[in-house]
Amino acid sequence: MDIFTTMQDERGRLSQSEIRIADIVLNDFEFAVNASIIELAGKADVSPPTVTRFCRRLGCESFSDFKVQLARTAYVGMRYLKPEPKSIAPADVAQDIITKAQNALFLLHRGLDVVAIEAAANRIAGAEMIYAFGSGGNSSMIASEMQNRLFRLGLRITSSSDHSMQLMMAAAAKPTDLLIGSSFSGRNTELVRAFTLAREAKVPTIALTQSGSPVADVADVTVPIDLPEGDNIYRPTSTRIAYLAVLDILASLVAYRLRPQATATLRRIKQQLVTHRDGDDRQLLGD
Amino acid sequence: MDIFTTMQDERGRLSQSEIRIADIVLNDFEFAVNASIIELAGKADVSPPTVTRFCRRLGCESFSDFKVQLARTAYVGMRYLKPEPKSIAPADVAQDIITKAQNALFLLHRGLDVVAIEAAANRIAGAEMIYAFGSGGNSSMIASEMQNRLFRLGLRITSSSDHSMQLMMAAAAKPTDLLIGSSFSGRNTELVRAFTLAREAKVPTIALTQSGSPVADVADVTVPIDLPEGDNIYRPTSTRIAYLAVLDILASLVAYRLRPQATATLRRIKQQLVTHRDGDDRQLLGD
DNA sequence: AACGTATCAAGAAAATAATTTGCAGGAATC
DNA sequence: GATTCCTGCAAATTATTTTCTTGATACGTT
């Protein structure tokens, strides 16, 4: 997979000297990507050959191969080590947020459960009617975004962020329908209740949430989204980007499954919008 | 900045041989990051010293420095060359979408207008009341997301995706208030109308949109978001992720400006949610 | 318990490979 | 025709890897 994961996974099988090397790489990645084998060996108090052996053990061809791997992944992969932007100057804040977002995507990709995603896409594509649930600002955005993405594919879908409505909808749904719920924390008790209700009525359910959480436990299919949430209360949000990406993946897979129908519906909607605007065909679907 | 931009910018000042090297790097990045200087020189039909000189001209210390730079940026920076996923297998679609999203963030960062962002943040922080506008699914999501982010900081804000409401709100707004509008295409005529109305009433306006577009033209401050939109109608959405990132940046900057007030409000909201849930303090703000 | 053997880690030195520098010939430009 | 810049060759330098050896540890045998 990627070199950082490998380093962590293999840590137990490394020797003392190799652990020292690994620690230096992990702690001072900037140094590591720029250093020569001699410099790195010097800093770790080992000989250059030991560094070469270390790289080999991690599955790299050579030391320079190792450095390339390092540079590739670490650019997006290791920034969560720095919890705060360097300063609150706009450029630094921007860099921090963008890097964290890229990082969230990186981690999402690393932990993605493709089997679950595919199962979810299949169910979505086959549902007669879809109910998308989510509350609390972040997840409600995901729910309405779900609707925004799926109705364009010709699917019947509604969304709600209202707990009472969710319960009523869950009670009204049929076994040929589908409930999709999103919860960042996985601890949305009302959503758990709605899912439980659905389960009793044999209505299939899909959860986008943390694995192992109460919401995940009651869903038929869970698409797990597990990311370490930064603790800066001002920016609780790179997780959202990961959720949106999952949504995109689901919507794309569903679209590929329904291609002919979806294309036709999209074209109609697009036509509608284009004639309503100033006729530039290159504009986005739905702004 | 980054090595690819530099290569494109410097292209005119490069010699024949150097252009050959640049083309090989650009076209076969995978080869380039793994090749030794001799292999790369061989493929470009030049001598190794020429490659070294090429790297120096691009501002790198050495050939290996060049490779590291290459590996760093190219991982996220150059994937839009491949317009389609390798297959419609879930893993490939996922990889495609995630890479494109990372790429959108990369391009956003590269083209970010920090001055405009800062100006926008200042105005937001100083506004008595904020109206966030956007329509059409994507931008309406941004507008309500704007509300979701900013009310937590103790700001007075409402959002609307309804054109008629937008016009009425624009007419009702005061010069101490603020209008924020989002338009992916920049061609939302109704938003232009609302902005024009606001301008006449001396209500300040901020636009999140394509630079040079009609919406950008009528706003006091434009935060330009210019990304090449992929033409696959099934995935019109990596742009959205860029918009959300800009929103995050704005919200963070505003938060830093209002820190004491914002912290208190957030704590209150969090308290509310936590006591309402099962008491795990580590959960997200608002799910 | 003592000894021997096997296994592994790790450094020194040598060998190899890669990269850079200095220099000179040649092409292009003014 | 002179100057400048490009380019490759060969040499020098530097970096990396291989080989060989030593030392340590674990395990089995006597």
Side-chain angles (χ1 to χ4, degrees), chain B residues 3-285:
Chain B
I3 199 77
F4 278 104
T5 316
T6 315
M7 261 197 288
Q8 254 129 31
D9 291 353
E10 294 283 311
R11 206 172 196 282
R13 276 182 287 283
L14 296 179
S15 69
Q16 287 307 313
S17 312
E18 289 173 331
I19 287 175
R20 276 209 303 284
I21 300 171
D23 285 345
I24 285 170
V25 173
L26 252 26
N27 288 323
D28 195 350
F29 150 78
E30 277 303 325
F31 167 80
V33 284
N34 293 312
S36 75
I37 196 170
I38 295 167
E39 291 169 317
L40 181 56
K43 192 156 183 178
D45 256 323
V46 298
S47 64
T50 304
V51 177
T52 297
R53 287 186 277 256
F54 168 77
C55 300
R56 295 265 159 82
R57 184 177 296 234
L58 260 38
C60 299
E61 283 274 305
S62 63
F63 175 67
S64 48
D65 185 29
F66 171 75
K67 280 217 299 191
V68 168
Q69 302 259 337
L70 205 59
R72 292 192 161 202
T73 31
Y75 178 68
V76 289
M78 272 288 135
R79 298 298 181 85
Y80 54 90
L81 295 170
K82 292 179 185 165
E84 284 288 334
K86 277 174 290 187
S87 79
I88 61 166
D92 288 334
V93 173
Q95 157 142 16
D96 182 60
I97 285 170
I98 290 170
T99 313
K100 288 221 168 72
Q102 287 181 323
N103 195 49
L105 288 167
F106 173 81
L107 293 171
L108 170 74
H109 192 195
R110 197 163 76 178
L112 204 65
D113 184 342
V114 179
V115 176
I117 294 251
E118 184 163 29
N122 287 333
R123 295 205 181 212
I124 292 171
E128 283 187 4
M129 172 71 193
I130 301 166
Y131 299 90
F133 296 164
S135 307
N138 289 321
S139 280
S140 55
M141 185 265 272
I142 298 294
S144 59
E145 205 38 32
M146 182 84 72
Q147 176 173 18
N148 181 34
R149 295 305 307 277
L150 295 184
F151 92 86
R152 287 162 202 252
L153 303 176
L155 294 170
R156 290 186 281 266
I157 179 167
T158 186
S159 68
S160 175
S161 58
D162 176 331
H163 291 137
S164 312
M165 283 301 287
Q166 288 172 7
L167 282 178
M168 291 190 279
M169 284 174 171
K174 284 170 286 191
T176 48
D177 296 344
L178 176 66
L179 248 64
I180 307 179
S182 157
S183 173
F184 284 26
S185 67
R187 307 171 172 286
N188 181 338
T189 326
E190 287 84 356
L191 190 59
V192 172
R193 202 168 300 150
F195 270 36
T196 311
L197 209 61
R199 168 164 285 183
E200 285 162 10
K202 303 223 186 308
V203 178
T205 51
I206 296 175
L208 270 56
T209 193
Q210 269 183 33
S211 57
S213 66
V215 173
D217 288 346
V218 293
D220 293 335
V221 175
T222 297
V223 178
I225 304 178
D226 302 314
L227 296 172
E229 189 61 30
D231 46 9
N232 185 334
I233 53 170
Y234 297 118
R235 292 182 274 95
T237 48
S238 53
T239 306
R240 258 180 352 179
I241 284 179
Y243 272 76
L244 275 180
V246 170
L247 220 89
D248 268 12
I249 296 168
L250 281 173
S252 293
L253 290 175
V254 172
Y256 285 125
R257 271 158 187 66
L258 306 174
R259 195 183 260 272
Q261 183 194 358
T263 321
T265 312
L266 264 177
R267 200 178 305 121
R268 268 206 311 283
I269 296 172
K270 189 166 185 176
Q271 203 61 40
Q272 179 78 24
L273 285 164
V274 169
T275 53
H276 189 229
R277 294 281 173 72
D278 58 7
D280 182 344
D281 191 57
R282 286 178 54 250
Q283 77 179 21
L284 285 182
L285 275 166

Side-chain angles (χ1 to χ4, degrees), chain A residues 29-30 33-34 64-65 67-69 71-73 75-76 79 84-85 87-91 93-99 101-103 105-106 108-109 112 114 117-118 135-141 144-145 148-149 152-153 163 182-190 214 229 232-241 244-245 247-253 255-260 262-263 266-267 270 276-278 280 282-287, chain B residues 29-30 33-34 64-65 67-69 71-73 75-76 79 84-85 87-91 93-99 101-103 105-106 108-109 112 114 117-118 135-141 144-145 148-149 152-153 163 182-190 214 229 232-241 244-245 247-253 255-260 262-263 266-267 270 276-278 280 282-287:
Chain A
F29 147 79
E30 277 304 326
V33 282
N34 293 311
S64 49
D65 184 29
K67 281 218 298 191
V68 168
Q69 302 258 338
R72 294 195 157 199
T73 32
Y75 179 68
V76 289
R79 297 300 180 87
E84 285 289 332
S87 79
I88 61 166
V93 173
Q95 156 139 22
D96 182 60
I97 286 171
I98 291 172
T99 312
Q102 287 183 323
N103 193 51
L105 289 166
F106 173 82
L108 171 75
H109 192 195
L112 205 65
V114 180
I117 294 251
E118 183 162 30
S135 307
N138 289 320
S139 280
S140 55
M141 185 266 272
S144 59
E145 204 39 32
N148 180 35
R149 297 303 308 275
R152 288 161 200 254
L153 303 175
H163 291 137
S182 158
S183 173
F184 283 26
S185 66
R187 307 171 172 286
N188 181 337
T189 326
E190 287 84 356
E229 188 60 30
N232 185 335
I233 52 170
Y234 297 117
R235 293 182 273 96
T237 48
S238 54
T239 307
R240 261 181 348 182
I241 285 182
L244 275 179
L247 220 91
D248 267 12
I249 296 168
L250 281 173
S252 293
L253 289 175
Y256 285 125
R257 270 157 188 68
L258 307 173
R259 196 182 259 272
T263 321
L266 264 177
R267 200 180 304 119
K270 189 167 185 176
H276 188 228
R277 294 281 174 73
D278 58 7
D280 181 346
R282 286 177 52 246
Q283 76 178 23
L284 285 181
L285 274 166
D287 206 57
Chain B
F29 150 78
E30 277 303 325
V33 284
N34 293 312
S64 48
D65 185 29
K67 280 217 299 191
V68 168
Q69 302 259 337
R72 292 192 161 202
T73 31
Y75 178 68
V76 289
R79 298 298 181 85
E84 284 288 334
S87 79
I88 61 166
V93 173
Q95 157 142 16
D96 182 60
I97 285 170
I98 290 170
T99 313
Q102 287 181 323
N103 195 49
L105 288 167
F106 173 81
L108 170 74
H109 192 195
L112 204 65
V114 179
I117 294 251
E118 184 163 29
S135 307
N138 289 321
S139 280
S140 55
M141 185 265 272
S144 59
E145 205 38 32
N148 181 34
R149 295 305 307 277
R152 287 162 202 252
L153 303 176
H163 291 137
S182 157
S183 173
F184 284 26
S185 67
R187 307 171 172 286
N188 181 338
T189 326
E190 287 84 356
E229 189 61 30
N232 185 334
I233 53 170
Y234 297 118
R235 292 182 274 95
T237 48
S238 53
T239 306
R240 258 180 352 179
I241 284 179
L244 275 180
L247 220 89
D248 268 12
I249 296 168
L250 281 173
S252 293
L253 290 175
Y256 285 125
R257 271 158 187 66
L258 306 174
R259 195 183 260 272
T263 321
L266 264 177
R267 200 178 305 121
K270 189 166 185 176
H276 189 229
R277 294 281 173 72
D278 58 7
D280 182 344
R282 286 178 54 250
Q283 77 179 21
L284 285 182
L285 275 166
D287 209 56

